Amino acid sequence: MTTAHAPAKVILFGEHAVVYGRPAIAVPVSQVRACAVVDDAPKGQGIVIHATDLKLQQQVGAPIITDDPAYPLEATVRHTLERLGIEGIPDLTLTVSSTVPMASGLGSGAAVSTAIVRALAQHFGRRLTSHEVSDLVYQTELIHHGTPSGVDNTVIAFERPVYFVKGKPIEILHVGQPFWLVIGDTGTRSPTRDVVGDVRCAWQAKPDKYEALFDRIGTIAVQAREAIGAGEVRALGKLMHENQELLQAIGVSSPELERLIGAARAAGAMGAKLCGAGRGGNMIALVSPEKAQAIAVALRKSGAVNAIVSEVKLPQSVNGKQASL
Ligand code: PMV
């Protein structure tokens, strides 16, 4: 039996604009995780996928339609076996579970795909690099999201804070001083594909307006990279406010998100914004460790169905400089 996990993620700065080539900053969140377990199965069974949270069971190779929830899981398995050079259909059972809420801005699809890729590779005694895992997960993100930027698969497969620009080499972010987030869930599910599609329509209708908004978001992400590297946590809070105003202007906030963002600020957060696609899902608040629990309580009182406290600290800096992979 082989078990593998993958974390959730939050986008600190730059969602949506990142689809249009501007930078984004994202960090892994390990408090919630996806898990994949691969077991050998009796000869002739083929591959059976059990997705416990979705309450579904799928035989790989059986007829399936592309909007079936099992389709991305099956596609991940197929792509991974192909990459591993496994010929034919092996006999195994794949069980997938996840504590990452779906369609909530925490990268649940990418987390599940990453856990599947890792579990299959380990099961066949193979080691894939984080780049290879990320590339495979991106294939499934195309199914989930239509036009993904690639930020979700990157931050989750590398499990490091990243400064991400579509099509550019990955940059692992140097974190000058650890900081704390509270992540509040509105409980409203909001499929990324729908919100990204709406933003695309709005961009097509008013390209100049949206390009200018994306430029401003990109500038904030650049400033945030500097602030994070220098350990200037308060500056980061201000940048979060500014990014949230621009996300409102893009049209991806919602009354539920605004309520939680307002509650976090009133309870002493240094900054707060939605994270991920928006229109529901999760928001993040930048907090001091002393106030983290009180802000989590304030979010729950304002209707959050969950509030997670997460520390962003950082790993490897190379001689104190940003490390590139
Ligand atoms: O909602 P999530 O966690 O899938 O994040 C989506 C982030 C977007 O920038 C809106 C889309 C993308 O592909 O980067």
Side-chain angles (χ1 to χ4, degrees):
M1 189 170 90
T2 316
T3 302
H5 296 90
K9 68 96 221 283
V10 289
I11 297 178
L12 298 185
F13 297 95
E15 48 273 274
H16 289 291
V18 68
V19 176
Y20 298 83
R22 275 62 165 195
I25 292 175
V27 299
V29 174
S30 52
Q31 285 85 348
V32 280
R33 297 179 81 75
C35 174
V37 180
V38 178
D39 256 328
D40 285 324
K43 201 167 164 31
Q45 175 195 278
I47 304 174
V48 173
I49 304 171
H50 292 282
T52 51
D53 309 294
L54 298 172
K55 297 189 177 46
L56 65 78
Q57 181 171 322
Q58 171 71 24
Q59 175 91 39
V60 171
I64 188 167
I65 47 170
T66 50
D67 57 358
D68 189 305
Y71 182 69
L73 305 177
E74 168 156 357
T76 307
V77 170
R78 285 181 175 283
H79 292 146
T80 307
L81 293 179
E82 205 178 294
R83 176 69 67 94
L84 295 174
I86 308 292
E87 288 180 9
I89 302 267
D91 297 309
L92 51 88
T93 301
L94 170 67
T95 306
V96 180
S97 59
S98 175
T99 54
V100 186
M102 285 187 286
S104 298
L106 298 188
S108 69
V112 166
S113 304
T114 301
I116 292 175
V117 172
R118 286 178 177 162
L120 285 170
Q122 282 170 34
H123 188 77
F124 288 103
R126 297 281 303 282
R127 213 186 110 59
L128 294 176
T129 65
S130 299
H131 276 289
E132 288 174 311
V133 174
S134 181
D135 286 349
L136 280 164
V137 174
Y138 183 74
Q139 299 305 314
T140 311
E141 290 290 282
L142 289 167
I143 298 169
H144 280 299
H145 293 177
T147 56
S149 64
V151 65
D152 282 17
N153 48 287
T154 302
V155 64
I156 289 175
F158 282 83
E159 270 190 70
R160 304 277 177 83
V162 295
Y163 177 84
F164 176 87
V165 184
K166 198 169 149 182
K168 295 266 172 69
I170 295 151
E171 183 177 315
I172 302 298
L173 199 64
H174 171 60
V175 178
Q177 188 181 313
F179 54 93
W180 292 79
L181 301 173
V182 180
I183 305 164
D185 190 348
T186 62
T188 306
R189 300 292 163 248
S190 172
T192 300
R193 177 188 273 275
D194 298 351
V195 188
V196 170
D198 288 351
V199 171
R200 185 165 295 277
C201 289
W203 170 73
Q204 281 163 345
K206 293 186 179 168
D208 292 350
K209 174 183 166 186
Y210 275 77
E211 284 294 320
L213 290 168
F214 296 150
D215 276 345
R216 289 172 65 192
I217 291 175
T219 302
I220 288 173
V222 172
Q223 291 169 343
R225 174 174 62 168
E226 296 309 310
I228 291 170
E232 290 166 3
V233 179
R234 288 222 161 255
L236 219 48
K238 185 168 166 286
L239 293 170
M240 275 190 186
H241 288 312
E242 289 171 16
N243 197 160
Q244 175 60 20
E245 280 171 10
L246 293 163
L247 289 163
Q248 285 168 351
I250 285 174
V252 297
S253 196
S254 72
E256 296 91 338
L257 284 164
E258 292 300 326
R259 187 167 65 239
L260 296 189
I261 290 165
R265 288 174 181 166
M270 290 176 269
K273 63 179 275 294
L274 68 82
C275 63
R279 298 254 177 90
N282 280 267
M283 49 72 68
I284 49 174
L286 180 68
V287 303
S288 62
E290 301 76 38
K291 287 190 183 158
Q293 289 306 335
I295 290 171
V297 169
L299 289 177
R300 286 180 190 276
K301 278 192 184 148
S302 297
V305 297
N306 196 15
I308 298 168
V309 178
S310 185
E311 184 183 13
V312 180
K313 49 181 189 255
L314 249 176
Q316 285 82 3
S317 61
V318 177
N319 297 330
K321 299 205 186 91
Q322 283 149 0
S324 296
L325 293 185

